[in-house]
Amino acid sequence: MALPGARARGWAAAAKIAQRRRHAEGARGSSSRAPPSSRAALYVHWPYCEKRCSYCNFNKYIPRGVEEAAMRSCLVTEAQTLLRLSGVRRVESVFFGGGTPSLASPSTVAAVLEAVDQAAHLPADSEVTLEANPTSAPRARLAAFGAAGVNRLSIGLQSLDDTELQLLGRTHSARDALQTLAEARRLFPGRVSVDLMLGLPAQQVGPWLGQLRTLLGCCDDHLSLYQLTLERGTALFTQVQWGTLPAPDPELAAEMYQEGRAMLREAGFRQYEVSNFARNGALSTHNWTYWQCGQYLGIGPGAHGRFVPQGAGGHTREARIQTLEPDNWMKEVMLFGHGTRRRIPLGQLELLEEVLAMGLRTDVGITHQHWQQFEPQLSLWDVFRSSREVKAQLAQGLLLLDHRGLRCSWEGLAVLDSLLLTLLPRLQEAWQQRTPSPVQGG
Amino acid sequence: MWTPVSRGRWHGRALTVWATAAAHRGLLEPRRTPSRGAAAKSRTLDRLYSSADRKEKIDMSRFSVENTRNFSIIAHVDHGKSTLADRLLELTGTIDKTKNNKQVLDKLQVERERGITVKAQTASLFYNCDGKQYLLNLIDTPGHVDFSYEVSRSLSACQGVLLVVDANEGIQAQTVANFFLAFEAQLSVIPVINKIDLKNADPARVEKQIEKVFDIPSDECIKISAKLGTNIERVLQAVIERIPPGVIANVALFDGVVSKGDKIISAYTKKTYEVNEVGVLNPNEQPTHKLYAGQVGYLIAGMKDVTEAQIGDTLYLHKQPVEPLPGFKSAKPMVFAGMYPIDQSEYNNLKSAVEKLTINDSSVTVHRDSSLALGAGWRLGFLGLLHMEVFNQRLEQEYNASVILTTPTVPYKAVLSSAKLIKEYREKEITIINPAQFPDKSKVTEYLEPVILGTIITPDEYTGKVMMLCQARRAVQKNMMYIDQNRVMLKYLFPLNEIVVDFYDSLKSLSSGYASFDYEDAGYQTAELVKMDILLNGNHVEELVTIVHKDKAHSVGKAICERLKDSLPRQLFEIAIQAAIGSKIIARETVKAYRKNVLAKCYGGDITRKMKLLKRQAEGKKKLRKIGNIEVPKDAFIKVLRTQPDK
């Protein structure tokens, strides 16, 4: 338990020095000259929570006691195995998500980071994010995560209203949230994000905007606004179905979203993705990788990954899902070195569909250069220029197609799912009609 | 030769056909076995239950006209008609006395579930009285007005009726309607007060009602309990004493003899057939050598289609023509509705189910139709609403077919003024079944709508509410009387379209279920009809064109717009839903544009799920019908067009 932690402090210390350098370079300055297939982001899933939140349908468990040493060793093993399989030489970001990863020991985090750095290269200025829940006495623990190598915090604040927090089944109070945020900013200046939910049952626009205003007075440079999705199987879903809670009003949620994003824009935030806002260039590089369809490995129970298993001789990108249930996952990792449950090869069209659907979530959308990396033959112009329905969306000012590429307008971003219902079939159609590329000889 | 049984009058050498449909249901279907030759053998026959030995051919020459009685039982729903029939069958030994004799004449699942009789049935009872053997032909009739065609058909074969009234509920609307059918047919009416065993029975009150409404002396009422079998013998005696002798038939022999090998001709179709078999029913068909005058039975004569066996038709021997007997008219549909398969891939299955069912029920008219929204289907004509529901239910229960049934409409008429149109239609007065064919006002003298005379009987505390309801339905009051101290009978002339959708439900709910309703056809009246269009952002929606009375245009238009608003999904732009008459907008609803439609979180793990969802939605979008640039799901049309489910 002590050993990996001690070694990791070495990496963490180096990372600290590198961070200062990194500030000068800007958020996305980390683009390396290494080919995309040798780079990846890494997601680490910590599946345990203290308590079940009423809205959450993620893969999480409320354990009586966590065998942390075993868990740690399995995460380390799986990271090593998948890095080897992928042939990835350079990990550009790590994200500890969950569950509640802030319940894990800082030494576990350190051990994983150390293993990653050993198996592949984890540059000192890589973004290492930890999802943390607000607590009443956060300081010492957050500092320990910092020492373990975490350099960015994402705080699950969710609301600044105690009644709402209770409704959501959160264990913290609004006061805890603000205190944790303040401590986090002191420890990770410029590297703290907060989540705020909108569209809760009975939530009204005015008070919610009040929360956002309060938050703007004390937040750091990154903020996420999430509309509540009622997921089947959650307590909230059941309550709404039984009528004990009013169903969230989509009209009000839309208004909160529009007013909220306008307020953030005024405060100097860039909406760089549907739900994500940053100022001073504090974008999350890890999530950016998802939206740009970069490679990522997922370790831990139920984690998802998308990468080419080059180390095992593969040439096709695969969608991979790890075994959901922690005990089974651990058994598999101990037996096989990894707990991959499903591997689904992604066809070229499927990949392009993901490039389209994910890329349009960002403010820059899909640049021609970006698209070309995935599809050199069929340009964005080829696909979308002639479609009558796409033209209608362009004319309506929801979508833009120009020399930069294809992207949503401010209004279009809010209705992207509707736009995609036209764009995806159009892409499929264009793909089927494309002139087949010359058959490779040999 | 054979003829419609008209009150014991003897007609020359003719034979009448009735209850064909009943015969088909009972017999054609089991007949689909190859050994008996399939549907090509159409039958015209009686459904005759008898206690005679079933193995042997029965000698029907035993029963003279003098010893034959033909009677029906008529009653309001649930007043005990079928139970009384069960007791009569038991008492005469036609069926065994067992606990299982529950409504033995109601054979269809729908009949047992709803406690109604849909198809007329016949049972022959053999009864000894004063040393004489009588043949009592009991014709069970449907009670409901929709089936009044079958009722009057049954009645036309009778000389008398048992009018059954519940000792607790008293006279109800259907009792009145059925009484007058019998009265107009000049039948002997024997009032029977049933359920005297019930705790709240008040036979004395019911006797007074009968005296007041029907002008029948109260001492003529027979008080019984069909359930317990009390006084059933007295009913049989009354049948013999008070009903004059007569003949009955599915094929009723009025004169002469018919036997196998005879050549017969239908007065209606003029087609010639060779008789393959004759016989009686007990209850299955029992071949006999011959059928004699005054007798009833069935006849197999190679008719290919049920429409060839018209109820009330007259058949006569080849080369011995007769005047067709009076009383024949084909059933006229009064309520029309579109019927479509829920999925077009089900079309052929549904087609064969509809065909089979209409063989069974020739009163349903079938025309192929198609709708842009609902695909290929049919426009069906029914005798009434219950008839429509029963048909639909039989489709579901007997053929396992589920369908979209559109809101019922009625047959409007237009008297044309445009010479060009008259030439085109080859007649001055046309019936409009499909709203798309509605001729413009400038080309007609007047429009006509079907009307009915409705009878409502209600406890007087609801009179006010009932009158308000009738007024709201454009009804004109014709009569109002107290049938006892606290029951009122109201008569109203209603436009038929005002009652086809939800009138009965409204009446029942405002009277806590106590008011009863029945109606009879009352012809056509002039009506200010207009064609109403539904527009989506200015584009006409063909499938939603509606013919409506001017006074109702606003409320109907508003209701359609509201239903559309609830079922049209939001789109990227605002949608104006409008109801319009010509260029005048009379109702409007708005579906606002989407302001937000994007999933909040979309990180790593969610991608697969998210892409699947998007692709499924995109796939569904391809199937939507486009009106202008608005995508309308089939569901939206269905929600607007289909009949509203029972509450």
Side-chain angles (χ1 to χ4, degrees):
Chain A
M1 189 156 166
L3 242 174
R7 267 201 281 151
R9 264 191 283 281
W11 181 85
K16 279 272 182 290
I17 300 158
Q19 264 176 41
R20 272 168 234 142
R21 234 188 7 250
R22 194 175 175 278
H23 253 278
E25 289 176 355
R28 279 180 295 133
S30 58
S31 67
S32 69
R33 256 147 265 109
S37 60
S38 69
R39 289 181 272 145
L42 176 75
Y43 175 78
V44 184
H45 192 77
W46 182 263
Y48 301 116
C49 287
E50 211 169 22
K51 187 178 172 241
R52 208 174 293 275
C53 294
S54 63
Y55 58 93
C56 175
N57 73 334
F58 281 19
N59 185 40
K60 81 290 174 182
Y61 302 84
I62 318 297
R64 282 208 202 99
V66 178
E67 290 179 66
E68 183 151 357
M71 192 69 196
R72 177 191 308 134
S73 132
C74 285
L75 285 171
V76 165
T77 305
E78 192 169 52
Q80 288 165 339
T81 311
L82 293 191
L83 282 167
R84 194 178 62 242
L85 274 175
S86 67
V88 162
R89 304 303 319 142
R90 184 186 167 94
V91 173
E92 299 192 308
S93 65
V94 180
F95 194 103
F96 290 88
T100 312
S102 57
L103 292 178
S105 302
S107 61
T108 295
V109 170
V112 173
L113 293 174
E114 182 64 15
V116 172
D117 191 39
Q118 296 281 313
H121 175 45
L122 179 64
D125 60 349
S126 298
E127 177 187 282
V128 179
T129 308
L130 176 85
E131 281 183 345
N133 278 354
T135 59
S136 50
R139 188 185 172 85
R141 204 168 168 81
L142 292 184
F145 281 119
V150 170
N151 57 28
R152 186 174 178 274
L153 278 185
S154 171
I155 301 175
L157 175 143
Q158 315 306 5
S159 168
L160 289 178
D161 178 313
D162 283 341
T163 315
E164 287 177 3
L165 286 168
Q166 239 168 4
L167 176 81
L168 295 171
R170 304 292 289 182
T171 53
H172 68 270
S173 64
R175 198 163 159 269
D176 295 342
L178 291 173
Q179 195 189 339
T180 303
L181 173 57
E183 287 297 345
R185 288 188 67 188
R186 231 165 283 154
L187 290 162
F188 305 92
R191 311 277 290 167
V192 178
S193 174
V194 285
D195 291 355
L196 183 68
M197 290 181 88
L198 59 88
L200 306 185
Q203 196 174 45
Q204 297 302 314
V205 180
W208 181 80
L209 283 171
Q211 290 187 35
L212 183 58
R213 209 168 288 123
T214 308
L215 206 50
L216 272 177
C218 60
C219 71
D220 202 6
D221 289 343
H222 195 281
L223 215 141
S224 303
L225 298 185
Y226 293 126
Q227 181 179 345
L228 171 73
T229 317
L230 280 184
E231 300 282 0
R232 198 171 284 278
T234 61
L236 218 51
F237 180 91
T238 313
Q239 281 171 288
V240 169
Q241 217 175 26
W242 282 71
T244 47
L245 274 179
D249 182 342
E251 262 309 288
L252 292 185
E255 205 175 324
M256 289 176 209
Y257 183 68
Q258 300 294 17
E259 301 262 336
R261 65 204 282 235
M263 189 189 284
L264 285 167
R265 181 159 67 174
E266 226 148 87
F269 279 83
R270 165 182 165 198
Q271 183 178 12
Y272 70 101
E273 194 262 354
V274 169
S275 304
N276 288 281
F277 302 80
R279 64 183 167 196
N280 303 324
L283 287 71
S284 158
T285 53
H286 184 84
N287 289 336
W288 192 262
T289 304
Y290 292 147
W291 299 316
Q292 294 294 303
C293 285
Q295 290 203 104
Y296 56 96
L297 315 183
I299 65 167
H304 290 242
R306 268 168 169 66
F307 62 88
V308 182
Q310 262 187 334
H315 298 286
T316 309
R317 184 183 284 214
E318 292 177 359
R320 286 176 168 242
I321 304 164
Q322 311 307 108
T323 293
L324 282 172
E325 205 277 317
D327 290 348
N328 293 340
W329 171 81
M330 275 196 266
K331 273 180 210 148
E332 288 169 36
V333 174
M334 285 189 267
L335 277 170
F336 312 113
H338 65 85
T340 302
R341 180 50 66 100
R342 289 188 72 196
R343 298 167 48 191
I344 307 147
L346 291 173
Q348 175 67 3
L349 175 61
E350 278 174 291
L351 184 57
L352 291 179
E353 286 168 346
E354 290 191 359
V355 169
L356 185 69
M358 301 310 280
L360 286 178
R361 293 182 68 87
T362 64
D363 59 345
V364 297
I366 305 150
T367 63
H368 292 296
Q369 294 90 315
H370 176 58
W371 180 262
Q372 249 186 337
Q373 281 178 27
F374 292 92
E375 175 50 48
Q377 311 281 328
L378 199 63
S379 76
L380 285 172
W381 292 112
D382 296 337
V383 176
F384 297 111
R385 187 162 36 193
S386 58
S387 158
R388 197 177 51 80
E389 282 175 300
V390 174
K391 274 185 197 158
Q393 295 183 348
L394 293 168
Q396 234 185 307
L398 297 172
L399 203 63
L400 294 137
L401 177 61
D402 57 19
H403 64 283
R404 279 159 61 190
L406 181 71
R407 65 195 175 281
C408 290
S409 68
W410 167 265
E411 292 76 23
L413 199 60
V415 292
L416 173 60
D417 285 1
S418 292
L419 302 181
L420 284 171
L421 296 187
T422 296
L423 300 175
L424 286 171
R426 177 60 213 141
L427 171 60
Q428 287 165 12
E429 198 182 12
W431 179 256
Q432 270 137 29
Q433 289 165 356
R434 77 196 187 283
T435 39
S437 51
V439 181
Q440 305 260 304
Chain B
M1 330 248 210
W2 324 284
T3 174
V5 197
S6 53
R7 345 270 181 262
R9 250 184 330 157
W10 285 82
H11 258 271
R13 303 154 77 77
L15 170 146
T16 254
V17 183
W18 67 271
T20 321
H24 275 282
R25 172 168 51 68
L27 295 163
L28 253 190
E29 291 185 22
R31 283 289 172 120
R32 273 178 283 149
T33 52
S35 63
R36 295 298 312 250
K41 254 195 213 168
S42 175
R43 318 173 142 243
T44 304
L45 42 73
D46 187 4
R47 175 169 280 270
L48 191 76
Y49 289 78
S50 94
S51 51
D53 183 359
R54 292 165 189 190
K55 298 271 156 55
E56 288 170 21
K57 289 197 177 181
I58 299 166
D59 180 5
M60 294 304 289
S61 62
R62 275 198 297 150
F63 296 100
S64 69
V65 175
E66 286 71 33
N67 291 347
T68 304
R69 300 288 185 278
N70 301 312
F71 70 103
S72 240
I73 308 178
I74 53 180
H76 190 75
V77 176
D78 278 345
H79 281 197
K81 182 185 61 180
S82 296
T83 312
L84 174 58
D86 290 349
R87 290 298 93 74
L88 294 176
L89 293 177
E90 284 170 12
L91 195 68
T92 55
T94 309
I95 57 171
D96 292 334
K97 264 189 200 173
T98 72
K99 283 183 203 151
N100 300 328
N101 288 338
K102 287 203 176 128
Q103 306 182 1
V104 295
L105 294 180
D106 287 341
K107 297 268 178 198
L108 301 178
Q109 189 184 346
V110 56
E111 290 177 321
R112 295 193 172 212
E113 277 177 16
R114 291 179 177 242
I116 55 171
T117 302
V118 172
K119 308 298 299 181
Q121 307 278 352
T122 306
S124 287
L125 321 175
F126 300 100
Y127 185 64
N128 266 310
C129 187
D130 302 328
K132 274 190 246 170
Q133 173 108 42
Y134 287 91
L135 171 64
L136 310 181
N137 292 311
L138 161 60
I139 299 150
D140 190 24
T141 66
H144 194 272
V145 62
D146 276 8
F147 307 103
S148 64
Y149 179 65
E150 298 235 359
V151 176
S152 43
R153 180 155 93 249
S154 308
L155 295 185
S156 73
C158 293
Q159 289 74 45
V161 294
L162 299 175
L163 179 68
V164 178
V165 185
D166 185 311
N168 181 13
E169 288 189 3
I171 290 178
Q172 296 294 317
Q174 219 173 293
T175 322
V176 179
N178 284 335
F179 169 81
F180 283 106
L181 278 176
F183 183 76
E184 281 161 19
Q186 296 174 308
L187 305 186
S188 312
V189 177
I190 303 169
V192 175
I193 299 174
N194 188 21
K195 306 196 190 181
I196 57 166
D197 56 303
L198 288 186
K199 210 174 93 195
N200 294 324
D202 189 355
R205 183 180 67 116
V206 178
E207 275 179 346
K208 278 186 204 135
Q209 285 181 353
I210 288 171
E211 190 157 356
K212 174 148 193 190
V213 180
F214 303 138
D215 204 18
I216 300 174
S218 57
D219 58 3
E220 287 189 19
C221 295
I222 305 171
K223 287 169 243 171
I224 68 160
S225 163
K227 192 174 136 202
L228 304 181
T230 316
N231 272 346
I232 303 301
E233 197 93 21
R234 276 199 53 200
V235 173
L236 285 171
Q237 280 158 9
V239 167
I240 290 166
E241 287 160 15
R242 301 194 210 165
I243 297 176
V247 201
I248 172 197
N250 264 7
V251 282
L253 242 59
F254 270 68
D255 195 9
V257 177
V258 64
S259 53
K260 188 178 169 179
D262 288 345
K263 282 229 166 75
I264 56 168
I265 293 174
S266 153
Y268 174 62
T269 64
K270 305 287 182 234
K271 283 190 182 168
T272 306
Y273 306 95
E274 183 174 323
V275 176
N276 300 324
E277 186 179 312
V278 294
V280 294
L281 290 157
N282 61 352
N284 301 317
E285 71 267 41
Q286 169 75 54
T288 60
H289 299 291
K290 290 174 181 193
L291 283 178
Y292 297 91
Q295 293 174 350
V296 297
Y298 70 92
L299 173 152
I300 302 174
M303 290 178 176
K304 300 227 165 20
D305 191 313
V306 68
T307 55
E308 293 178 45
Q310 283 285 333
I311 292 148
D313 192 5
T314 300
L315 305 174
Y316 53 87
L317 275 183
H318 183 58
K319 289 180 182 161
Q320 299 180 39
V322 296
E323 278 290 297
L325 292 155
F328 172 69
K329 60 172 184 192
S330 52
K332 241 189 296 166
M334 292 304 285
V335 174
F336 291 87
M339 180 176 272
Y340 299 87
I342 283 180
D343 190 298
Q344 278 296 310
S345 65
E346 290 287 305
Y347 179 83
N348 282 327
N349 291 340
L350 184 59
K351 181 167 176 256
S352 89
V354 168
E355 276 168 2
K356 280 178 195 151
L357 207 49
T358 45
I359 276 180
N360 219 293
D361 183 352
S362 61
S363 54
V364 178
T365 62
V366 182
H367 296 283
R368 285 182 61 178
D369 200 358
S370 72
S371 150
L372 289 169
L374 307 177
W378 302 269
R379 190 151 197 88
L380 303 181
F382 301 98
L383 301 174
L385 267 190
L386 180 67
H387 185 209
M388 179 175 94
E389 279 174 36
V390 164
F391 187 87
N392 190 23
Q393 198 174 337
R394 289 186 66 189
L395 265 181
E396 282 176 10
Q397 286 173 346
E398 296 168 38
Y399 298 93
N400 199 22
S402 60
V403 298
I404 298 162
L405 208 55
T406 66
T407 306
T409 57
V410 301
Y412 292 111
K413 285 182 176 178
V415 181
L416 300 173
S417 61
S418 144
K420 193 177 156 226
L421 276 186
I422 294 172
K423 202 175 163 193
E424 195 178 305
Y425 284 104
R426 292 193 199 132
E427 54 190 348
K428 207 166 153 47
E429 190 177 291
I430 60 164
T431 301
I432 310 147
I433 293 169
N434 190 334
Q437 301 158 344
F438 191 74
D440 190 75
K441 205 177 171 188
S442 62
K443 290 170 181 152
V444 302
T445 318
E446 59 178 358
Y447 298 110
L448 302 169
E449 65 178 338
V451 285
I452 55 100
L453 185 65
T455 302
I456 298 164
I457 292 184
T458 177
D460 57 1
E461 59 194 290
Y462 303 112
T463 312
K465 282 189 194 167
V466 169
M467 288 169 70
M468 298 251 287
L469 174 68
C470 294
Q471 228 158 31
R473 301 304 178 109
R474 300 194 285 125
V476 178
Q477 199 183 85
K478 291 290 173 191
N479 190 8
M480 176 173 167
M481 77 179 273
Y482 273 80
I483 62 169
D484 63 18
Q485 277 173 347
N486 47 25
R487 284 185 171 268
V488 178
M489 180 167 80
L490 298 151
K491 296 233 176 203
Y492 275 91
L493 195 65
F494 282 92
L496 176 61
N497 86 316
E498 294 289 342
I499 62 156
V500 290
V501 180
D502 56 357
F503 176 77
Y504 193 62
D505 290 340
S506 306
L507 180 70
K508 280 288 174 192
S509 77
L510 71 77
S511 66
S512 311
Y514 285 114
S516 63
F517 175 70
D518 206 346
Y519 66 87
E520 59 194 274
D521 187 3
Y524 274 77
Q525 70 178 17
T526 307
E528 285 196 76
L529 301 175
V530 288
K531 183 165 103 171
M532 185 169 68
D533 290 311
I534 301 296
L535 312 175
L536 294 181
N537 282 357
N539 301 290
H540 286 246
V541 186
E542 275 174 68
E543 37 278 272
L544 298 181
V545 177
T546 312
I547 299 173
V548 62
H549 190 272
K550 210 182 80 186
D551 297 349
K552 285 298 176 81
H554 177 70
S555 60
V556 172
K558 191 162 178 286
I560 294 180
C561 289
E562 280 169 0
R563 272 205 242 169
L564 260 181
K565 186 191 174 173
D566 289 343
S567 47
L568 266 185
R570 287 188 169 201
Q571 317 210 350
L572 290 168
F573 41 82
E574 190 173 282
I575 307 169
I577 306 167
Q578 295 167 310
I581 293 168
S583 57
K584 194 178 156 211
I585 305 298
I586 55 164
R588 180 190 164 122
E589 293 287 334
T590 305
V591 178
K592 285 195 192 149
Y594 260 130
R595 292 180 64 200
K596 182 177 193 297
N597 181 28
V598 59
L599 197 71
K601 250 184 178 167
C602 203
Y603 297 96
D606 279 327
I607 296 180
T608 307
R609 200 179 134 197
K610 171 74 179 164
M611 293 306 294
K612 264 190 194 159
L613 185 70
L614 280 171
K615 284 192 207 169
R616 203 167 51 231
Q617 288 174 345
E619 219 31 62
K621 190 178 144 94
K622 285 184 194 161
K623 292 180 190 151
L624 300 181
R625 175 155 146 65
K626 279 205 136 193
I627 291 170
N629 56 348
I630 300 157
E631 286 156 343
V632 186
K634 191 173 168 181
D635 261 10
F637 285 112
I638 293 173
K639 277 182 195 144
V640 176
L641 292 172
R642 106 180 304 166
T643 51
Q644 298 301 291
D646 295 343
K647 272 135 231 158

